[in-house]
Amino acid sequence: GLLLADLTEEEEEEEDNSPPPIGNGGTIDGKYVWTQTLQELTINVPLPENTRGRDLNVIISKKHLKIGFAKTKQEFIVNDDLTKPIIVDDSLWTIEDGNRLVLTLQKSNQMEWWDAPCQTDEPKINIQKVQPENSNLSDLDGETRQTVEKMMFDQRQKALGLPTADEQKKLDILEKFKASHPEMDFSNAKIN
């Protein structure tokens, strides 16, 4: 039989073939999608449609980040220590398209990569895989941008309890299949 040791070794090797992280960042489920350059970190937080600046309570400190809604004073989407310190005066936030908060955090040390924006974030990225030439979202090539936008879409759908893009695709395919096979009974079909 297979030994446990064999299994773990294989898994470790497998992980190393994973592609470099999109935009040198990732998705922190239920919170945000983030990307980075050596100089700065960009965090995209999905928001309810038509959110305005005054609806938000965003507090950026040197080593801590708080993001919440003005009307729920004590509840925060994010309330966590940053992985590394930032330059507060050069960091800013804006709302794009009325449905996402974009924070640009200027790193204090502009020669190092972060494995995640905040200390408790999971999953952390493997900074060995980071590709230095990637820059911010508007300069990312189309594919990367689409991936980030899809991540944003999925985050928003999840927050609203709706299917993600991939789940929706599966549902659509099933519907098409059903339509083209009226003779089959799908009442017991399960989608996994």
Side-chain angles (χ1 to χ4, degrees):
L2 262 177
L3 292 172
L4 211 57
D6 296 343
L7 277 176
T8 45
E9 250 174 56
E10 265 178 41
E11 270 175 30
E12 275 170 27
E13 274 170 31
E14 237 172 84
E15 269 183 15
D16 281 345
N17 308 331
S18 64
I22 300 285
N24 298 324
T27 300
I28 307 298
D29 250 350
K31 283 191 185 175
Y32 41 65
V33 177
W34 66 285
T35 56
Q36 67 178 325
T37 63
L38 267 174
Q39 291 78 36
E40 62 184 32
L41 198 74
T42 304
I43 300 179
N44 288 271
V45 185
L47 297 171
E49 293 293 340
N50 305 318
T51 302
R52 295 182 177 179
R54 61 164 181 268
D55 301 330
L56 293 180
N57 180 13
V58 180
I59 303 163
I60 301 174
S61 340
K62 186 175 176 181
K63 292 185 169 169
H64 196 89
L65 178 62
K66 276 189 189 177
I67 303 168
F69 292 101
K71 56 177 184 287
T72 50
K73 286 271 184 291
Q74 297 314 310
E75 287 175 46
F76 293 95
I77 310 170
V78 180
N79 182 4
D80 202 350
D81 286 331
L82 293 165
T83 301
K84 297 179 186 338
I86 58 166
I87 305 167
V88 177
D89 290 345
D90 295 340
S91 301
L92 56 123
W93 62 273
T94 58
I95 293 179
E96 303 269 335
D97 308 323
N99 61 17
R100 68 192 164 100
L101 166 66
V102 182
L103 297 113
T104 309
L105 305 181
Q106 208 64 35
K107 299 177 180 178
S108 285
N109 176 348
Q110 310 210 330
M111 293 305 297
E112 62 184 357
W113 297 104
W114 292 25
D115 58 5
C118 293
Q119 294 190 359
T120 62
D121 286 344
E122 292 295 335
K124 299 195 185 320
I125 63 166
N126 177 352
I127 50 181
Q128 259 60 64
K129 298 219 157 154
V130 161
Q131 293 179 315
E133 66 282 0
N134 266 353
S135 54
N136 69 16
L137 197 53
S138 55
D139 304 340
L140 291 178
D141 56 43
E143 197 176 316
T144 309
R145 189 171 180 144
Q146 272 175 339
T147 307
V148 173
E149 281 168 2
K150 179 174 173 298
M151 295 195 294
M152 298 292 304
F153 173 80
D154 287 351
Q155 285 282 69
R156 214 171 288 132
Q157 294 286 94
K158 261 193 206 137
L160 300 168
L162 297 169
T164 62
D166 290 341
E167 288 165 350
Q168 190 58 53
K169 218 177 275 171
K170 278 186 199 152
L171 292 169
D172 293 347
I173 290 168
L174 184 70
E175 286 306 321
K176 281 202 189 87
F177 187 78
K178 278 192 197 165
S180 54
H181 294 276
E183 74 284 359
M184 290 167 78
D185 174 17
F186 289 95
S187 51
N188 300 318
K190 296 254 192 304
I191 317 181
N192 41 9

